[in-house]
């Protein structure tokens, strides 16, 4: 079982890889819309990648209004 | 299709539609690769009637208001129908708003019933209620887990009485819905829409884009949105067509739905349409040189043969692979909610996929103009729909003026806002606040806005006044937010941005700490509501005797500044 810290780090790594952001420049409290420069549609794409990576289903309502990696990590962690 | 001229209300028309098309499939609900529901019109009626009766037994009566806050799904439409059947007024709210915003609108609309999903209710119940919503007597939540704490709500699935409900008739002039076109800040704008508004709009739209049994509409735009309410509920239902709901809007499942359900129509906002364009273009660019030449030649042939009108059969044969990706039966993509760039529209039309591009606003009852595709014009928003009188008033030297509309589809007014209503509807004409001009062929072209607001590519109306609260107590002398295109007109409807104008105390400067504070506050807004830039203004803001900012006067002063130099990116 992953710790919340591991989950958070894996999300940051995946996001930086998927959106070509240099590794290590993202932090848990970053607003991913702003930091990655993505729109709501690209966020949905990111969520699909995260679901595949963690092997979970994340209903749309769980991520409604979420805009920082830390909160996203806690929502994912609760479904692992 | 029912003859809507014979009907006094949405409820009466839907009631007959459920009988007339009883054995047709009316709803499909899909959750990822699983199909959760497939209901005929008869099934739909059997689900809705016990709910309508239970509402009536709870004291719900003609004219009472009920809100729905839900993602698109069968229970949304079943609940809406039950509310109409019982003579109620529906208040459809955007599920993407925050809990605070939801409470504000529940309070403002005066609803006595609320239908929502458990996850949304869980957040609502946990958030502080601003003031009191004392009139809320019944709260129904769907799909609550067993043993969940319902915080005073009842389970939607159990709120049913098997006895027949009594149909409550309404007249054409009675309110059918209250739709919030904007505003959760100072003055929410609740558009009071009558039954006549919807009946007339439906006749006009289906005359150009008809539905029929066997047609399948993919409902992606939120159903609280005026477009989806019309083309994803009322329109298809009175024609016996099928509505397809997806419980997740991840792009891969949306793509799959087109082929799985052989979609006939879909409505999209420009953001999604552009994303589709990007994906298709990337695939075309990956074609080997020889295949690409063949493909380009086929597109050129298609363009030649579809110059004057769409020829779906021919386009599907010429560009089979492209059309197969959309299920092979797509008749048109309806795009709305915001302005769409002509090159995006042209891209799809050249592939033989007509895009029903139009222009409208909630206050006008959805659409005012729509492209009739005879011929397709990417550079305009089409011609006025049947029954719409559209005038351009106070034109400038180029013929560009404010677009005004008179029609039976125009709202009766803003809820509890007689002053705002009087400003919006003058001598029966709705002042849209948008700037436009008619060309020689009677097509309307849009050139920006006269009003201080933006519409995002996701179709969200954002009024600066509504987001200013997040900057309250910012340590500056004064501030306000403007739509950049309102201050510096661009004659364009794309790339609209919000600018935070700040005026410092004497000797104060824009420090890194203050910038961080602004960024932090901005981050509290939903992503599409955020300001894009800061402008430091070195004069006192002009104010009224009651100290309200004279926004139009301030805008005129700001307009003297060079936007490119004065606005710093945030």
């Amino acid at each position: 079982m992953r710790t919340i810290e591991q989950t958070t780090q894996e999300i940051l790594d995946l996001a930086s890889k998927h959106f070509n952001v240099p590794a290590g420049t993202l932090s848990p409290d970053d607003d991913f819309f702003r930091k990655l420069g993505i729109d709501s549609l690209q966020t949905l794409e990111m969520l699909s990648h995260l679901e595949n990576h963690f092997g979970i289903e994340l209903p749309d309502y769980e991520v409604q209004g979420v805009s920082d990696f830390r909160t996203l990590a806690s929502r994912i962690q609760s479904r692992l | 299709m029912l003859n809507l001229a014979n009907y006094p209300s949405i409820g009466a028309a839907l009631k007959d539609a459920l009988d007339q098309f009883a054995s047709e499939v009316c709803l499909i609900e899909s959750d990822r690769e699983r199909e959760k529901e497939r209901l005929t019109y008869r099934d739909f009626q059997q689900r809705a009637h016990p709910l309508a009766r239970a509402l009536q037994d709870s004291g719900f009566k003609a004219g009472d208001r009920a809100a729905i806050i839900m993602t698109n799904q069968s229970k949304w439409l079943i609940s809406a129908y039950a509310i109409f059947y019982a003579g109620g007024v529906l208040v459809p709210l955007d599920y993407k708003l925050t809990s605070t915003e939801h409470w504000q609108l529940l309070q403002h609309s005066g609803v006595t019933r609320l239908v929502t999903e458990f996850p949304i209710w869980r957040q609502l119940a946990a958030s502080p209620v601003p003031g009191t919503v004392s009139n809320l007597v019944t709260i129904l939540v769907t799909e609550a887990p067993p043993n969940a704490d319902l915080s005073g709500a009842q389970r939607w699935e159990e709120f049913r009485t098997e006895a027949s409900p009594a149909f409550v008739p309404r007249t054409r002039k009675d309110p059918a819905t209250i739709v919030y076109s904007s505003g959760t800040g100072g003055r929410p704008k609740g558009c009071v829409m009558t039954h006549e508004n919807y009946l007339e709009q439906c006749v006009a739209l289906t005359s150009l884009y008809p539905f029929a049994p066997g047609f399948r509409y993919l409902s992606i735009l939120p159903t609280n949105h005026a477009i989806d309410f019309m083309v994803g509920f009322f329109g298809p239902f009175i024609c016996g067509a099928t509505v397809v709901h997806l419980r997740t809007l991840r792009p891969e499942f949306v793509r799959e739905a087109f082929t799985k359900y052989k979609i006939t129509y879909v409505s999209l906002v420009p953001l999604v349409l552009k994303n589709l364009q990007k994906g298709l273009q990337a695939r075309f660019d990956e074609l080997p040189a020889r295949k690409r030449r063949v493909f380009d030649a086929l597109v050129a042939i298609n363009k030649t043969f579809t110059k004057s009108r769409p020829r779906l059969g021919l386009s599907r044969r010429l560009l089979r692979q492209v059309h197969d990706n959309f299920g092979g039966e797509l008749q048109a993509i309806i795009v709305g909610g915001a302005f769409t760039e002509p090159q995006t529209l042209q891209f799809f039309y050249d592939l033989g996929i007509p895009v029903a591009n139009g222009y409208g606003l909630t206050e006008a009852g959805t659409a005012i103009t729509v492209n009739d595709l005879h011929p397709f014009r990417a550079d305009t928003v089409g011609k006025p729909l049947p029954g719409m009188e559209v005038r351009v008033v106070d034109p400038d030297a180029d013929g560009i003026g404010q677009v005004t509309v008179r029609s039976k589809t125009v709202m009766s007014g803003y809820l509890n806002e007689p002053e705002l209503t009087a400003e919006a509807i003058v001598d029966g004409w709705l002042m849209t606040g948008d700037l436009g001009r008619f060309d020689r062929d009677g097509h309307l072209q849009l050139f920006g806005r006269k009003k201080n607001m933006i519409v995002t590519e996701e179709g969200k109306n954002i009024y600066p006044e509504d987001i200013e609260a997040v900057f309250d107590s910012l340590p500056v002398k004064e501030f306000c937010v403007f739509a950049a295109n309102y201050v510096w007109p661009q004659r364009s409807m794309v790339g609209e941005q919000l600018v935070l104008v700040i005026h410092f105390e004497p000797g104060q400067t824009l420090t890194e700490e203050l910038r961080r504070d602004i960024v932090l506050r901005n981050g509290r807004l939903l992503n599409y509501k955020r300001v894009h830039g800061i402008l430091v203004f070195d004069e006192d803001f002009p104010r009224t005797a009651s100290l309200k900012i004279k926004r139009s006067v301030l805008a005129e002063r700001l307009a003297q500044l060079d936007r490119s130099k004065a606005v710093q990116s945030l």
Side-chain angles (χ1 to χ4, degrees):
Chain A
M1 176 79 179
R2 295 172 173 92
T3 63
I4 180 73
E5 289 77 19
Q6 286 170 325
T7 302
T8 309
Q9 192 53 51
E10 285 177 46
I11 293 170
L12 294 177
D13 291 344
L14 278 166
S16 76
K17 193 174 161 196
H18 185 66
F19 293 106
N20 290 322
V21 176
T25 57
L26 300 177
S27 62
D29 291 318
D30 281 341
D31 178 320
F32 46 73
F33 287 107
R34 190 177 160 72
K35 195 82 180 192
L36 301 172
I38 59 176
D39 57 36
S40 53
L41 221 56
Q42 290 167 303
T43 308
L44 289 176
E45 281 173 11
M46 177 174 77
L47 292 173
S48 289
H49 284 282
L50 293 173
E51 285 187 338
N52 291 336
H53 176 82
F54 289 105
I56 55 165
E57 279 190 10
L58 204 56
D60 289 5
Y61 64 76
E62 277 284 18
V63 287
Q64 180 65 44
V66 175
S67 60
D68 64 281
F69 292 109
R70 190 183 298 280
T71 313
L72 180 60
S74 71
R75 301 287 164 90
I76 288 176
Q77 185 75 11
S78 68
R79 291 184 170 262
L80 289 176
Chain B
M1 176 180 171
L2 302 182
N3 180 1
L4 291 182
N6 298 335
Y7 290 94
S9 70
I10 292 178
L14 289 174
K15 176 172 167 285
D16 276 8
L18 300 194
D19 288 333
Q20 185 166 329
F21 304 111
S23 58
E24 300 288 345
V25 174
C26 84
L27 281 177
I28 295 172
E29 186 175 309
S30 179
D31 188 359
R32 294 165 189 262
E33 55 285 334
R34 304 176 290 268
E35 188 171 301
K36 281 188 78 173
E37 296 256 47
R38 184 178 281 256
L39 304 179
T40 62
Y41 282 85
R42 184 180 293 110
D43 298 330
F44 183 93
Q45 187 183 57
Q46 287 169 356
R47 298 274 182 97
H49 279 186
L51 175 61
R53 177 57 191 254
L55 277 172
Q56 290 178 326
D57 288 351
S58 76
F60 190 74
K61 57 188 187 309
D64 283 354
R65 297 169 192 166
I68 294 179
I69 312 176
M70 295 175 99
T71 51
N72 293 16
Q73 54 188 287
S74 53
K75 292 186 177 89
W76 202 115
L77 306 194
I78 291 168
S79 302
Y81 175 64
I83 291 163
F84 289 134
Y85 196 94
V89 177
L90 174 66
V91 182
L93 297 180
D94 182 356
Y95 67 84
K96 289 187 176 174
L97 296 176
T98 64
S99 296
T100 307
E101 291 171 327
H102 280 144
W103 279 123
Q104 284 171 346
L105 296 185
L106 290 170
Q107 190 172 25
H108 186 265
S109 59
V111 294
T112 60
R113 308 294 190 282
L114 166 64
V115 184
T116 188
E117 295 171 56
F118 179 71
I120 295 172
W121 174 241
R122 195 175 49 193
Q123 289 182 13
L124 268 173
S127 82
V129 184
T132 53
V133 190
S134 55
N135 40 353
L136 203 52
V137 295
T138 306
I139 298 157
L140 303 178
V141 297
T142 61
E143 298 177 4
N147 308 318
D149 174 10
L150 297 185
S151 306
Q154 294 170 262
R155 289 178 190 274
W156 185 93
E157 293 79 3
E158 294 172 5
F159 189 79
R160 45 192 295 120
T161 307
E162 290 306 329
S164 293
F167 177 74
V168 178
R170 306 297 286 158
T171 72
R172 284 192 158 231
K173 297 293 182 192
D174 284 327
T177 66
I178 298 166
V179 183
Y180 285 89
S181 65
S182 74
T184 50
R187 300 175 86 174
K189 287 181 172 174
C191 302
V192 179
M193 311 300 299
T194 65
H195 289 276
E196 180 175 63
N197 293 157
Y198 288 105
L199 293 163
E200 294 292 331
Q201 175 78 211
C202 193
V203 170
L205 276 173
T206 50
S207 70
L208 290 179
Y209 295 96
F211 284 99
F215 280 31
R216 287 159 302 276
Y217 173 83
L218 179 58
S219 171
I220 294 177
L221 290 186
T223 309
N224 65 279
H225 195 290
I227 292 177
D228 198 75
F229 186 84
M230 179 54 69
V231 291
F233 178 26
F234 192 51
F237 268 48
I238 56 106
C239 299
T242 305
V243 176
V244 178
H245 285 137
L246 306 180
R247 292 298 288 271
T248 179
L249 297 178
R250 305 287 158 80
E252 62 269 36
F253 297 114
V254 173
R255 281 194 291 269
E256 190 184 290
F258 277 101
T259 49
K260 188 172 177 183
Y261 295 113
K262 300 205 173 298
I263 297 301
T264 317
Y265 291 120
V266 63
S267 296
L268 301 174
V269 291
L271 179 76
V272 180
L273 193 68
K274 275 173 78 173
N275 187 272
L276 272 177
Q277 178 190 7
K278 212 170 86 184
L280 285 169
Q281 188 63 58
R283 285 170 54 190
F284 301 156
D285 292 344
E286 282 170 7
L287 288 173
R290 198 180 61 81
K291 279 193 174 177
R292 180 62 193 256
R293 278 197 298 277
V294 173
F295 174 75
D296 287 345
L298 291 172
V299 172
I301 294 169
N302 184 64
K303 281 167 75 169
T304 304
F305 283 98
T306 57
K307 217 165 205 167
S308 59
R309 66 180 174 88
R311 294 171 194 265
L312 282 169
L314 176 73
S315 298
R316 285 174 190 158
R317 283 197 297 278
L318 282 172
L319 297 157
R320 178 178 297 279
Q321 275 194 313
V322 175
H323 285 260
D324 282 352
N325 274 310
F326 287 95
E329 294 186 21
L330 189 66
Q331 294 212 358
I333 295 175
I334 297 160
V335 63
F339 186 75
T340 314
E341 291 173 47
Q343 55 267 41
T344 300
L345 301 172
Q346 195 67 52
F347 174 86
F348 283 95
Y349 191 74
D350 289 347
L351 295 173
I353 300 169
V355 179
N357 180 40
Y359 157 65
L361 56 168
T362 305
E363 286 84 342
T366 322
I368 297 167
T369 63
V370 175
N371 200 311
D372 63 6
L373 309 175
H374 293 83
F376 172 76
R377 291 273 306 271
D379 58 330
T380 80
V381 289
K383 296 177 189 170
L385 280 165
M388 291 275 176
E389 290 178 82
V390 183
R391 284 195 323 205
V392 170
V393 297
D394 303 326
D396 63 13
D398 297 323
I400 298 168
Q402 181 173 192
V403 179
T404 65
V405 187
R406 188 165 68 179
S407 161
K408 286 180 178 174
T409 66
V410 171
M411 66 168 182
S412 59
Y414 292 117
L415 181 69
N416 303 333
E417 291 285 1
E419 278 179 29
L420 277 180
T421 303
E423 285 170 20
I425 304 173
V426 179
D427 297 330
W429 289 85
L430 175 72
M431 305 284 128
T432 65
D434 295 316
L435 296 169
R437 178 177 66 190
F438 279 105
D439 71 5
R440 250 181 267 163
D441 299 319
H443 280 249
L444 183 66
Q445 293 176 299
L446 295 177
F447 292 96
R449 300 183 203 288
K450 198 177 156 67
K451 56 196 170 186
N452 187 20
M453 57 97 69
I454 67 168
V455 180
T456 71
E457 282 193 316
E458 291 157 292
K460 305 282 187 189
N461 294 359
I462 313 295
Y463 285 80
E465 296 92 319
D466 293 338
I467 62 160
E468 284 177 349
V470 81
F471 298 107
D472 279 349
S473 76
L474 191 72
V476 294
K477 185 172 183 186
E478 53 193 346
F479 72 88
C480 78
V481 179
F482 274 105
N485 286 4
Y486 171 70
V487 178
W488 299 278
Q490 300 290 304
R491 291 209 165 172
S492 165
M493 306 288 278
V494 295
E496 296 184 293
Q497 298 191 327
L498 296 172
V499 174
L500 174 67
V501 180
I502 47 181
H503 177 212
F504 288 136
E505 297 286 0
Q508 192 182 8
T509 57
L510 183 57
T511 61
E512 269 314 300
E513 188 186 356
L514 179 59
R515 182 182 277 275
R516 270 199 301 276
D517 188 2
I518 293 170
V519 169
L520 191 70
R521 289 163 183 265
N522 201 31
R524 286 185 205 135
L525 293 164
L526 292 173
N527 63 312
Y528 58 85
K529 292 186 174 182
R530 293 175 189 165
V531 304
H532 301 83
I534 311 173
L535 187 155
V536 177
F537 190 59
D538 56 10
E539 296 173 30
D540 282 336
F541 290 176
R543 290 181 182 269
T544 64
S546 58
L547 296 179
K548 281 185 184 167
I549 297 169
K550 289 182 178 172
R551 288 175 190 268
S552 57
V553 178
L554 179 54
E556 281 172 21
R557 291 191 194 167
L558 294 171
Q560 306 303 315
L561 304 173
D562 181 344
R563 177 180 173 179
S564 62
K565 289 180 185 157
V567 180
Q568 310 172 35
S569 288
L570 193 57

